[in-house]
Amino acid sequence: MGPFNLIFLFTLSLTFLSGGRGARRRAQGQSPIDKIQAQQNFNIQQFTGVWRLIAVGSQCSYLKTNNHNLEAVTVRVSDQSEAMRINTLCKMDGICWDIKQDYKKAAIPGRFSRKNRGLTTDIVVSETDYTNYAIVFFQQRRKITVKLYGRTPNVDEAVAIKFQQLVTSNNIPEIFIYTFPQYGFCDAADEFHQLDDDFGKS
């Protein structure tokens, strides 16, 4: 499996065909993620550190066909001067990989974006208590994915219900909520399995 497929698996990005852009995009008006409110008074310093991916709500075709092969995912967040750095750690063929991506800070705290190989990814940290859970929205090509993270592999039932409600309220059916393994996490990768995914940044 090549590095591009690895990046796709680890970051669980959405790769939808985008059809015509330009005038069509202008006609569509506001982007779906613009309607998502960021965490009030978002504090990136409190948000940094290690998170475990608990569940994903998405109509991504990759997840629909490969959800039986999901691996535990660790995300390490750090604060850069103009960006939020995300290191995604996950196993591939039993080997831990570490994928680095930088998301530029927007004017509104809690909003981030990056461009890579002509594709824009937008992130909104919708809700977090910083110590237990975070609900984060991702958008590529106007398609929304909602992710639930925990500082540990478990969250309270009330948080899980809130996550489910946010997923379905954004037109993602409940059957497309995928739960990730609570064991087998990677916390580091050797120097031969670290990948900087910003080489195609534009």
Side-chain angles (χ1 to χ4, degrees):
M1 180 174 289
F4 293 113
N5 288 332
L6 288 169
I7 294 167
F8 178 78
L9 175 65
F10 295 157
T11 60
L12 297 170
S13 298
L14 300 178
T15 51
F16 293 86
L17 298 177
S18 59
R21 299 180 181 176
R24 180 183 174 186
R25 175 170 292 179
R26 289 191 296 271
Q28 289 175 328
Q30 188 180 36
S31 178
I33 205 164
D34 292 338
K35 302 173 185 178
I36 305 301
Q37 295 294 317
Q39 169 77 29
Q40 188 173 11
N41 301 318
F42 177 76
N43 186 319
I44 192 170
Q45 291 296 329
Q46 290 182 262
F47 191 69
T48 58
V50 173
W51 294 94
R52 309 296 190 181
L53 181 60
I54 295 175
V56 172
S58 174
Q59 296 195 63
C60 168
S61 58
Y62 181 87
L63 283 174
K64 289 178 181 178
T65 57
N66 293 277
N67 59 81
H68 58 287
N69 288 323
L70 297 179
E71 294 278 3
V73 175
T74 297
V75 170
R76 185 176 294 113
V77 177
S78 56
D79 183 20
Q80 308 297 306
S81 59
E82 297 183 357
M84 175 176 67
R85 175 163 296 170
I86 296 179
N87 286 76
T88 302
L89 296 104
C90 185
K91 287 181 181 177
M92 171 59 63
D93 295 331
I95 299 173
C96 289
W97 282 79
D98 182 349
I99 311 299
K100 178 183 77 69
Q101 296 176 314
D102 285 345
Y103 289 82
K104 185 178 179 180
K105 297 175 182 176
I108 299 174
R111 291 184 176 272
F112 307 88
S113 67
R114 74 190 296 267
K115 289 185 178 181
N116 189 274
R117 293 182 289 275
L119 182 65
T120 298
T121 304
D122 296 301
I123 291 180
V124 175
V125 180
S126 172
E127 187 171 330
T128 182
D129 66 354
Y130 302 104
T131 58
N132 296 294
Y133 77 96
I135 298 174
V136 184
F137 283 73
F138 290 73
Q139 176 180 275
Q140 287 183 356
R141 294 175 176 152
R142 301 180 65 87
K143 300 294 185 180
I144 291 287
T145 285
V146 192
K147 298 185 182 183
L148 174 62
Y149 295 93
R151 292 296 191 184
T152 68
N154 296 286
V155 294
D156 292 341
E157 183 179 0
V159 172
I161 292 173
K162 183 183 298 185
F163 167 73
Q164 177 183 317
Q165 292 172 339
L166 282 172
V167 170
T168 55
S169 68
N170 280 274
N171 301 315
I172 301 172
E174 187 177 345
I175 60 171
F176 297 127
I177 295 177
Y178 304 98
T179 302
F180 279 68
Q182 299 180 356
Y183 55 87
F185 292 98
C186 291
D187 290 314
D190 63 43
E191 61 180 314
F192 302 106
H193 296 94
Q194 297 179 16
L195 185 60
D196 185 345
D197 190 33
D198 287 327
F199 63 86
K201 189 161 54 179
S202 58

